[in-house]
Amino acid sequence: QVPLVESGGGLVHAGGSLKLSCAASGRTLSMYVMGWFRQAPGKEREFVAAISSNGGIIYYADSVKGRFTIPRYNAKNTAYLQMNSLKSEDTANYYCAADRGPPATMTSVYDYWGQGTQVTVSS
């Protein structure tokens, strides 16, 4: 098991920024691909970003390219999602996920999930 805990969500005005964190309690994340997904009310969970275990491969959803980045700091055993220029359509519950395989955009690939952190962007 890889217990993941997200934090950093909140209420922000459109155009603002938030930085989400995903911490693994008692486990190192250095061997895992980390993914970020989000789910808005009434919608399916969708891919946001993913980064390989060594940080060499990064994927972004088209909807967040140029606005979100996924820096990785294995030494801190934490993954991050930096969100800039937020829009009202970014409002959702954001989840981090981990897997031992290659970085992927599909939710079904990831074995471990956090409980989510709510991001609300007011227009």
Side-chain angles (χ1 to χ4, degrees):
Q1 292 293 320
V2 181
L4 300 174
V5 179
E6 302 97 336
S7 61
L11 174 65
V12 63
H13 291 298
S17 298
L18 282 174
K19 186 177 182 179
L20 305 184
S21 300
C22 175
S25 176
R27 296 291 295 265
T28 177
L29 293 177
S30 59
M31 299 298 292
Y32 292 87
V33 166
M34 299 301 300
W36 287 93
F37 294 79
R38 65 187 182 187
Q39 188 167 18
K43 295 187 177 181
E44 293 186 355
R45 191 168 298 188
E46 65 175 6
F47 170 75
V48 175
I51 185 169
S52 62
S53 58
N54 64 4
I57 300 172
I58 302 176
Y59 296 142
Y60 294 102
D62 288 343
S63 59
V64 306
K65 279 181 181 176
R67 300 187 299 122
F68 291 12
T69 58
I70 186 171
R72 182 167 191 161
Y73 304 98
N74 282 334
K76 295 184 179 181
N77 208 35
T78 302
Y80 300 93
L81 180 68
Q82 177 66 47
M83 306 186 297
N84 300 324
S85 303
L86 283 161
K87 305 175 181 179
S88 57
E89 51 262 45
D90 295 319
T91 295
N93 204 14
Y94 282 71
Y95 299 87
C96 67
D99 188 69
R100 293 295 296 266
T105 62
M106 298 176 292
T107 58
S108 58
V109 169
Y110 291 83
D111 291 330
Y112 307 106
W113 290 85
Q115 295 300 307
T117 184
Q118 178 67 35
V119 171
T120 303
V121 184
S122 63
S123 56

Short mmCIF file of all heavy atoms in Angstrom, two decimals, residues 31-37 47 49-60 70 72 97-106 109-110:
data_model
loop_
_atom_site.label_atom_id
_atom_site.label_comp_id
_atom_site.label_asym_id
_atom_site.label_seq_id
_atom_site.Cartn_x
_atom_site.Cartn_y
_atom_site.Cartn_z
N MET A 31 10.21 5.54 -6.68
CA MET A 31 10.07 4.47 -7.66
C MET A 31 8.74 4.52 -8.39
O MET A 31 8.44 3.64 -9.20
CB MET A 31 10.20 3.12 -6.95
CG MET A 31 11.53 2.91 -6.27
SD MET A 31 12.88 2.91 -7.44
CE MET A 31 12.55 1.39 -8.31
N TYR A 32 7.94 5.52 -8.12
CA TYR A 32 6.58 5.54 -8.64
C TYR A 32 6.36 6.66 -9.65
O TYR A 32 6.89 7.76 -9.52
CB TYR A 32 5.58 5.72 -7.49
CG TYR A 32 5.49 4.54 -6.58
CD1 TYR A 32 6.37 4.41 -5.50
CD2 TYR A 32 4.55 3.54 -6.80
CE1 TYR A 32 6.30 3.31 -4.67
CE2 TYR A 32 4.48 2.45 -5.95
CZ TYR A 32 5.35 2.34 -4.90
OH TYR A 32 5.28 1.25 -4.07
N VAL A 33 5.55 6.33 -10.63
CA VAL A 33 4.97 7.36 -11.48
C VAL A 33 3.89 8.07 -10.67
O VAL A 33 3.11 7.43 -9.98
CB VAL A 33 4.35 6.72 -12.74
CG1 VAL A 33 3.45 7.69 -13.46
CG2 VAL A 33 5.45 6.21 -13.65
N MET A 34 3.84 9.38 -10.77
CA MET A 34 2.81 10.15 -10.06
C MET A 34 1.89 10.81 -11.06
O MET A 34 2.34 11.41 -12.04
CB MET A 34 3.45 11.22 -9.18
CG MET A 34 4.37 10.68 -8.10
SD MET A 34 3.52 9.53 -6.99
CE MET A 34 2.24 10.57 -6.30
N GLY A 35 0.62 10.68 -10.79
CA GLY A 35 -0.36 11.29 -11.67
C GLY A 35 -1.29 12.20 -10.88
O GLY A 35 -1.50 12.01 -9.68
N TRP A 36 -1.84 13.19 -11.56
CA TRP A 36 -2.86 14.06 -10.99
C TRP A 36 -4.11 13.97 -11.87
O TRP A 36 -4.01 14.05 -13.10
CB TRP A 36 -2.38 15.51 -10.92
CG TRP A 36 -1.37 15.76 -9.86
CD1 TRP A 36 -0.01 15.72 -9.98
CD2 TRP A 36 -1.63 16.07 -8.48
NE1 TRP A 36 0.58 15.99 -8.78
CE2 TRP A 36 -0.38 16.22 -7.84
CE3 TRP A 36 -2.79 16.25 -7.73
CZ2 TRP A 36 -0.26 16.52 -6.48
CZ3 TRP A 36 -2.67 16.56 -6.39
CH2 TRP A 36 -1.42 16.69 -5.77
N PHE A 37 -5.22 13.84 -11.21
CA PHE A 37 -6.51 13.77 -11.89
C PHE A 37 -7.48 14.70 -11.19
O PHE A 37 -7.22 15.14 -10.07
CB PHE A 37 -7.05 12.34 -11.85
CG PHE A 37 -6.22 11.35 -12.62
CD1 PHE A 37 -5.05 10.85 -12.09
CD2 PHE A 37 -6.61 10.94 -13.88
CE1 PHE A 37 -4.27 9.96 -12.80
CE2 PHE A 37 -5.85 10.04 -14.60
CZ PHE A 37 -4.68 9.55 -14.06
N PHE A 47 -7.82 13.08 -16.52
CA PHE A 47 -6.39 13.23 -16.37
C PHE A 47 -6.00 14.70 -16.40
O PHE A 47 -6.54 15.49 -17.18
CB PHE A 47 -5.70 12.49 -17.52
CG PHE A 47 -4.24 12.77 -17.63
CD1 PHE A 47 -3.35 12.20 -16.74
CD2 PHE A 47 -3.75 13.58 -18.64
CE1 PHE A 47 -1.99 12.44 -16.85
CE2 PHE A 47 -2.41 13.83 -18.76
CZ PHE A 47 -1.52 13.26 -17.86
N ALA A 49 -2.20 15.60 -15.21
CA ALA A 49 -0.76 15.59 -15.46
C ALA A 49 -0.17 14.32 -14.87
O ALA A 49 -0.74 13.72 -13.95
CB ALA A 49 -0.09 16.81 -14.86
N ALA A 50 0.99 13.93 -15.40
CA ALA A 50 1.69 12.76 -14.87
C ALA A 50 3.17 12.95 -15.08
O ALA A 50 3.61 13.60 -16.04
CB ALA A 50 1.21 11.48 -15.55
N ILE A 51 3.96 12.38 -14.18
CA ILE A 51 5.41 12.49 -14.27
C ILE A 51 6.03 11.14 -13.95
O ILE A 51 5.58 10.43 -13.04
CB ILE A 51 5.93 13.59 -13.30
CG1 ILE A 51 7.43 13.81 -13.47
CG2 ILE A 51 5.58 13.26 -11.85
CD1 ILE A 51 7.94 15.05 -12.75
N SER A 52 7.06 10.78 -14.71
CA SER A 52 7.73 9.51 -14.49
C SER A 52 8.54 9.53 -13.20
O SER A 52 8.77 10.59 -12.61
CB SER A 52 8.64 9.19 -15.68
OG SER A 52 9.65 10.19 -15.80
N SER A 53 9.00 8.37 -12.80
CA SER A 53 9.71 8.26 -11.52
C SER A 53 10.98 9.09 -11.48
O SER A 53 11.36 9.61 -10.42
CB SER A 53 10.03 6.79 -11.21
OG SER A 53 10.81 6.24 -12.26
N ASN A 54 11.65 9.25 -12.61
CA ASN A 54 12.89 10.05 -12.62
C ASN A 54 12.65 11.48 -13.10
O ASN A 54 13.59 12.25 -13.25
CB ASN A 54 13.96 9.38 -13.48
CG ASN A 54 13.56 9.30 -14.94
OD1 ASN A 54 12.52 9.81 -15.35
ND2 ASN A 54 14.40 8.66 -15.74
N GLY A 55 11.40 11.81 -13.37
CA GLY A 55 11.08 13.17 -13.79
C GLY A 55 11.37 13.46 -15.25
O GLY A 55 11.18 14.58 -15.71
N GLY A 56 11.82 12.45 -15.99
CA GLY A 56 12.21 12.68 -17.37
C GLY A 56 11.07 12.73 -18.35
O GLY A 56 11.21 13.26 -19.46
N ILE A 57 9.92 12.20 -17.99
CA ILE A 57 8.75 12.19 -18.87
C ILE A 57 7.60 12.85 -18.12
O ILE A 57 7.28 12.46 -17.00
CB ILE A 57 8.35 10.77 -19.26
CG1 ILE A 57 9.51 10.07 -20.00
CG2 ILE A 57 7.10 10.78 -20.14
CD1 ILE A 57 9.26 8.61 -20.26
N ILE A 58 6.99 13.82 -18.75
CA ILE A 58 5.87 14.53 -18.15
C ILE A 58 4.77 14.67 -19.20
O ILE A 58 5.06 15.03 -20.35
CB ILE A 58 6.27 15.93 -17.63
CG1 ILE A 58 7.39 15.82 -16.60
CG2 ILE A 58 5.06 16.64 -17.03
CD1 ILE A 58 7.90 17.17 -16.11
N TYR A 59 3.56 14.38 -18.80
CA TYR A 59 2.40 14.55 -19.66
C TYR A 59 1.45 15.57 -19.03
O TYR A 59 1.29 15.61 -17.81
CB TYR A 59 1.63 13.24 -19.83
CG TYR A 59 2.39 12.14 -20.53
CD1 TYR A 59 2.25 10.82 -20.11
CD2 TYR A 59 3.21 12.39 -21.61
CE1 TYR A 59 2.91 9.79 -20.75
CE2 TYR A 59 3.88 11.36 -22.25
CZ TYR A 59 3.73 10.07 -21.82
OH TYR A 59 4.40 9.05 -22.45
N TYR A 60 0.82 16.36 -19.88
CA TYR A 60 -0.21 17.30 -19.42
C TYR A 60 -1.44 17.15 -20.30
O TYR A 60 -1.33 16.93 -21.51
CB TYR A 60 0.27 18.75 -19.49
CG TYR A 60 1.39 19.10 -18.56
CD1 TYR A 60 2.70 19.20 -19.03
CD2 TYR A 60 1.15 19.32 -17.21
CE1 TYR A 60 3.74 19.52 -18.17
CE2 TYR A 60 2.19 19.64 -16.34
CZ TYR A 60 3.48 19.73 -16.83
OH TYR A 60 4.50 20.05 -15.98
N ILE A 70 4.18 20.16 -13.05
CA ILE A 70 4.26 19.07 -12.09
C ILE A 70 5.71 18.86 -11.70
O ILE A 70 6.35 17.91 -12.14
CB ILE A 70 3.58 17.79 -12.64
CG1 ILE A 70 3.53 16.68 -11.60
CG2 ILE A 70 4.24 17.33 -13.94
CD1 ILE A 70 2.67 15.48 -12.02
N ARG A 72 8.81 17.73 -9.35
CA ARG A 72 8.91 16.57 -8.50
C ARG A 72 10.16 16.67 -7.63
O ARG A 72 11.23 16.99 -8.13
CB ARG A 72 9.00 15.30 -9.34
CG ARG A 72 9.06 14.05 -8.49
CD ARG A 72 8.81 12.82 -9.31
NE ARG A 72 8.62 11.67 -8.45
CZ ARG A 72 8.04 10.56 -8.82
NH1 ARG A 72 7.60 10.44 -10.04
NH2 ARG A 72 7.92 9.56 -7.99
N ALA A 97 -2.23 10.18 -7.68
CA ALA A 97 -2.21 8.73 -7.83
C ALA A 97 -0.79 8.27 -8.10
O ALA A 97 0.03 9.03 -8.62
CB ALA A 97 -3.13 8.31 -8.98
N ALA A 98 -0.51 7.02 -7.75
CA ALA A 98 0.83 6.48 -7.93
C ALA A 98 0.76 5.10 -8.57
O ALA A 98 -0.20 4.34 -8.36
CB ALA A 98 1.56 6.38 -6.59
N ASP A 99 1.78 4.78 -9.33
CA ASP A 99 1.86 3.48 -9.98
C ASP A 99 3.31 3.15 -10.27
O ASP A 99 4.13 4.06 -10.42
CB ASP A 99 1.04 3.49 -11.28
CG ASP A 99 0.92 2.13 -11.89
OD1 ASP A 99 0.23 1.28 -11.28
OD2 ASP A 99 1.53 1.90 -12.95
N ARG A 100 3.60 1.85 -10.39
CA ARG A 100 4.99 1.43 -10.64
C ARG A 100 5.32 1.38 -12.13
O ARG A 100 6.45 1.18 -12.49
CB ARG A 100 5.25 0.06 -10.01
CG ARG A 100 5.21 0.05 -8.50
CD ARG A 100 6.33 0.87 -7.90
NE ARG A 100 7.63 0.34 -8.21
CZ ARG A 100 8.30 -0.48 -7.42
NH1 ARG A 100 7.78 -0.90 -6.29
NH2 ARG A 100 9.51 -0.89 -7.75
N GLY A 101 4.30 1.50 -12.99
CA GLY A 101 4.55 1.38 -14.42
C GLY A 101 4.95 2.68 -15.05
O GLY A 101 5.30 3.64 -14.36
N PRO A 102 4.91 2.76 -16.38
CA PRO A 102 5.25 4.01 -17.08
C PRO A 102 4.16 5.06 -16.86
O PRO A 102 3.03 4.70 -16.51
CB PRO A 102 5.31 3.59 -18.56
CG PRO A 102 4.44 2.39 -18.63
CD PRO A 102 4.58 1.67 -17.32
N PRO A 103 4.49 6.33 -17.06
CA PRO A 103 3.46 7.36 -16.87
C PRO A 103 2.30 7.15 -17.81
O PRO A 103 2.47 6.78 -18.97
CB PRO A 103 4.20 8.67 -17.15
CG PRO A 103 5.44 8.28 -17.87
CD PRO A 103 5.77 6.90 -17.46
N ALA A 104 1.10 7.38 -17.30
CA ALA A 104 -0.10 7.10 -18.08
C ALA A 104 -1.17 8.14 -17.80
O ALA A 104 -1.14 8.83 -16.77
CB ALA A 104 -0.63 5.71 -17.74
N THR A 105 -2.12 8.23 -18.73
CA THR A 105 -3.19 9.20 -18.59
C THR A 105 -4.51 8.57 -18.17
O THR A 105 -5.48 9.29 -17.99
CB THR A 105 -3.39 9.95 -19.92
OG1 THR A 105 -3.78 9.00 -20.92
CG2 THR A 105 -2.10 10.63 -20.37
N MET A 106 -4.56 7.26 -18.07
CA MET A 106 -5.80 6.58 -17.74
C MET A 106 -5.89 6.28 -16.25
O MET A 106 -4.94 5.79 -15.65
CB MET A 106 -5.91 5.28 -18.54
CG MET A 106 -5.95 5.51 -20.04
SD MET A 106 -5.96 3.94 -20.93
CE MET A 106 -4.33 3.34 -20.56
N VAL A 109 -4.98 2.69 -14.77
CA VAL A 109 -3.58 2.24 -14.66
C VAL A 109 -3.05 2.39 -13.24
O VAL A 109 -2.23 1.59 -12.78
CB VAL A 109 -2.70 3.04 -15.65
CG1 VAL A 109 -1.23 2.80 -15.38
CG2 VAL A 109 -3.08 2.70 -17.07
N TYR A 110 -3.52 3.36 -12.53
CA TYR A 110 -2.95 3.70 -11.23
C TYR A 110 -3.50 2.84 -10.10
O TYR A 110 -4.71 2.66 -9.98
CB TYR A 110 -3.18 5.18 -10.93
CG TYR A 110 -2.37 6.08 -11.84
CD1 TYR A 110 -2.83 6.39 -13.12
CD2 TYR A 110 -1.14 6.57 -11.43
CE1 TYR A 110 -2.08 7.18 -13.96
CE2 TYR A 110 -0.38 7.38 -12.27
CZ TYR A 110 -0.86 7.67 -13.54
OH TYR A 110 -0.10 8.46 -14.38
#
